[in-house]
């Protein structure tokens, strides 16, 4: 299901791109995103796992980009937060005896696959650097 992880990750990375030589604290980032620093650290951990950011601990610690913003695509960010978009399915299994019920999930799977392909094609053409120019 869709969540705010992509928006949070883009916010974090856009902020980091504005301070390329500084390690930003999770508290500073959290104040910009208006979230608890614990949630920010969770998303930073995911970005770190995908080698998009690096972190260091200590008094002057924090997080900064590991890759130039010109080399990070929004597709990479999206893929670090989700494997794919799904708008969800009914909580109950549809009636397999119904002509719609027996095919609805198959048709939704095709729709979601098409949506993912469209989204990925659009996101791969936009770099973080291009996105961050708006700020």
């Amino acid at each position: 299901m869709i969540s705010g992880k992509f928006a949070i990750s883009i916010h974090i990375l856009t902020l980091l791109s504005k301070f390329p030589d500084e390690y930003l604290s999770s508290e500073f980032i959290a104040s910009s995103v208006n979230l608890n620093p614990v949630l920010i650290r969770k998303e930073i951990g995911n970005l770190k796992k995908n080698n998009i950011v690096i972190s260091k601990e200590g008094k002057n610690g924090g997080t900064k980009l590991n890759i130039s913003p010109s080399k990070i695509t929004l597709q990479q960010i999206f893929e670090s937060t989700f494997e794919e978009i799904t708008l969800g399915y009914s909580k109950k299994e549809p009636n397999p005896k119904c002509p719609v019920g027996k095919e609805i999930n198959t048709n939704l799977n095709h729709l979601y696959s098409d949506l993912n392909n469209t989204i990925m094609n659009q996101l791969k053409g936009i770099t973080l650097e291009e996105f961050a120019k708006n700020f």
Side-chain angles (χ1 to χ4, degrees), residues 6 10 25 27 34 42 44 76 80-81 89 91 97 102 105 120:
F6 180 65
I10 289 232
S25 72
E27 289 78 13
N34 201 22
K42 183 176 180 183
I44 287 171
Q76 288 171 286
S80 77
T81 57
Y89 298 91
K91 290 185 184 216
K97 294 179 183 173
K102 71 180 180 181
N105 286 337
M120 290 304 171

Side-chain angles (χ1 to χ4, degrees), residues 25-99:
S25 72
S26 57
E27 289 78 13
F28 177 79
I29 297 168
S31 71
S32 177
V33 182
N34 201 22
L35 283 177
N36 187 300
V38 171
L39 296 173
I40 295 301
R41 284 191 285 273
K42 183 176 180 183
E43 292 310 314
I44 287 171
N46 187 49
L47 294 167
K48 192 173 169 183
K49 180 178 80 179
N50 286 280
N51 297 312
I52 297 173
V53 301
I54 55 174
S55 296
K56 73 176 186 176
E57 295 181 15
K59 182 180 176 195
N60 295 317
T63 302
K64 72 177 190 173
L65 291 176
N66 190 36
I67 305 168
S68 166
S70 65
K71 304 263 190 249
I72 302 170
T73 67
L74 298 191
Q75 178 187 13
Q76 288 171 286
I77 299 166
F78 181 86
E79 288 175 338
S80 77
T81 57
F82 296 102
E83 291 190 14
E84 60 182 23
I85 283 184
T86 180
L87 300 176
Y89 298 91
S90 175
K91 290 185 184 216
K92 300 223 176 216
E93 196 62 36
N95 183 348
K97 294 179 183 173
C98 171

